[in-house]
Amino acid sequence: MAYAAFRSIGAYAPSKILSNEDLAKMVDTSDEWITKRTGIKERRIAEDGEFTSDMGAKAAQIALERSGIDKSKIDMIICATISPDYFCMPSTAAIISTKLGISNATAFDISAACTGFVYVLSIAKAFIESGMKKNILVIGAEKLSAITDYTDRGTCILFGDGAGAAVVSATEDKNEAIIDVHTGADGTFADLLMSPNGGSGSAHDTLEQEATSCFMQMKGNETFKVAVKTLTKDVVDILRDNSIDSSEIKHFVPHQANLRIIKAVGEALGMSDEQVVLTVEKYGNTSGASIPMAINDIYESGRLQAGELMLLDAFGGGLTWGSALVPFAPLQK
Ligand code: ACO
């Protein structure tokens, strides 16, 4: 039987910084309010000509190099994004494949908002365990600045740009395997977080209003409450189903939406500060890119070692949610 191993991580963050002070000059807010309510101090913003696929390709290139797997062996590329280069086609994953010089792999995007990276992991795991694919590049990439309304202080303070990527490949060693991935969705709560315009649900005259067509709208306070509940339940369920105790988790990597949400969830689950991975302060909420960017952060700071168990936990527009038990399993050189 083939198992799916999480081989490597890479990430890319644009160099341009948008600080809370910068935002206070754009909307009626302050560094103090944003810091207290969200924990965010700054976020990264892509250049005008820098697309989601550019960031995704840069993150993927690093993940590929670190994996030690030749790009000719990659047989699938999946990109989680709600800010694709083009809303209808081609997929961002297909564009990334060309930017990486990969021409024969299956490539497609998925839309699960902030849960996107957990969703792509579940797809990669299934394809590898079924024997259909062997080496899959999974990417979360977002240019949220392109779909953020910078006159809406309720949302523009939260979001940033960036990308993260990983290589998931087949192994026969069960000890290396991604243990489990849970995913779910409930469209009843669709209106909590949405880009209401620009799709086939829009009137044609709305489609012509390109500048505002895809801006995100959010009922922040209601989203906050559902987020804490869902993120906590996700973890309780996946740990129980796999008979794993929270003390066995080396790195708890929650979606980086808001420090208050992360703290509330961490406390409810009895996670120590050492277990909880935090990047929200410097990147804000990068939706589908947030979890792989956070994993990259612990990798680059030397905190992620081979064999250590990560617990990923995400929540986002849809509503969608998901969790994953993932040992870090680089190829032994
Ligand atoms: N600066 C100053 N004041 C503000 C700001 C701001 N940026 N934004 C809102 N306020 C005001 C409101 O107008 C309100 O004022 P009022 O009391 O006079 O009416 C007051 O602050 C409180 O507003 P709330 O919305 O209740 O503030 P809250 O404490 O809930 O914080 C926030 C807002 C930060 C958005 C929070 O609700 C949140 O983080 N929600 C969850 C976001 C999230 O997790 N999204 C999911 C993933 S995103 C995805 O899937 C793409």
Side-chain angles (χ1 to χ4, degrees):
M1 151 118 197
Y3 300 103
F6 189 97
R7 295 289 185 211
S8 68
I9 189 75
Y12 169 80
S15 53
K16 189 165 144 195
I17 291 173
L18 182 67
S19 68
N20 291 349
E21 288 79 9
D22 295 331
L23 280 163
K25 291 179 198 141
M26 296 156 67
V27 288
D28 182 13
T29 191
S30 64
D31 172 47
E32 192 197 353
W33 194 96
I34 301 171
T35 307
K36 198 164 150 222
R37 300 288 180 121
T38 71
I40 302 167
K41 295 300 279 185
E42 57 188 42
R43 61 293 288 145
R44 301 298 180 92
I45 303 294
E47 296 297 332
D48 279 349
E50 188 173 33
F51 296 166
T52 297
S53 64
D54 294 315
M55 295 185 279
K58 283 180 180 156
Q61 183 66 41
I62 297 168
L64 263 177
E65 282 161 15
R66 288 177 180 163
S67 74
I69 294 167
D70 192 82
K71 66 181 181 185
S72 63
K73 300 264 190 323
I74 296 293
D75 45 16
M76 179 176 271
I77 300 173
I78 320 170
C79 183
T81 185
I82 52 166
S83 48
D85 289 11
Y86 306 103
F87 267 104
C88 301
M89 57 186 164
S91 72
T92 306
I95 299 169
I96 290 172
S97 73
T98 302
K99 289 183 175 166
L100 294 172
I102 297 174
S103 54
N104 254 328
T106 306
F108 59 95
D109 294 352
I110 66 114
S111 168
C114 306
T115 318
F117 192 74
V118 177
Y119 267 62
V120 291
L121 275 185
S122 75
I123 299 166
K125 180 175 183 290
F127 266 98
I128 287 174
E129 288 177 354
S130 71
M132 286 178 71
K133 299 289 176 187
K134 288 199 162 38
N135 297 293
I136 303 182
L137 198 45
V138 290
I139 302 162
E142 302 284 11
K143 185 172 177 175
L144 295 181
S145 60
I147 57 167
T148 296
D149 178 355
Y150 285 99
T151 65
D152 173 16
R153 68 177 181 174
T155 54
C156 72
I157 56 155
L158 300 172
F159 300 110
D161 301 337
V167 174
V168 179
S169 71
T171 179
E172 286 175 9
D173 181 356
K174 197 173 178 186
N175 294 319
E176 291 190 322
I178 295 174
I179 297 168
D180 198 6
V181 188
H182 283 191
T183 50
D186 184 351
T188 318
F189 296 100
D191 67 329
L192 290 191
L193 248 167
M194 68 190 313
S195 303
N197 304 317
S200 62
S202 295
H204 210 269
D205 57 348
T206 316
L207 283 174
E208 283 163 14
Q209 295 167 11
E210 274 187 35
T212 57
S213 66
C214 294
F215 285 172
M216 291 178 282
Q217 294 178 11
M218 181 176 68
K219 295 179 181 165
N221 204 274
E222 288 166 58
T223 307
F224 189 103
K225 288 175 199 147
V226 188
V228 174
K229 221 187 295 172
T230 311
L231 285 165
T232 308
K233 184 175 182 309
D234 267 356
V235 167
V236 170
D237 288 353
I238 201 166
L239 290 178
R240 183 203 54 226
D241 288 359
N242 293 281
S243 305
I244 290 176
D245 189 80
S246 61
S247 62
E248 295 171 61
I249 305 300
K250 181 72 180 173
H251 306 285
F252 175 51
V253 192
H255 167 51
Q256 306 288 312
N258 181 317
L259 184 61
R260 281 160 58 217
I261 296 178
I262 297 172
K263 290 261 183 225
V265 172
E267 273 166 30
L269 296 167
M271 297 280 179
S272 69
D273 288 351
E274 290 69 42
Q275 285 171 297
V276 182
V277 177
L278 286 174
T279 57
V280 67
E281 181 180 359
K282 57 182 177 179
Y283 297 137
N285 180 347
T286 57
S287 193
S290 115
I291 284 183
M293 288 176 83
I295 298 173
N296 186 67
D297 212 66
I298 51 173
Y299 177 82
E300 290 193 348
S301 61
R303 287 160 59 205
L304 179 61
Q305 304 296 326
E308 289 180 348
L309 184 57
M310 297 182 281
L311 170 55
L312 319 184
D313 189 17
F315 166 90
L319 293 178
T320 56
W321 57 86
S323 54
L325 284 163
V326 182
F328 183 52
L331 276 176
Q332 300 305 322
K333 303 221 165 94

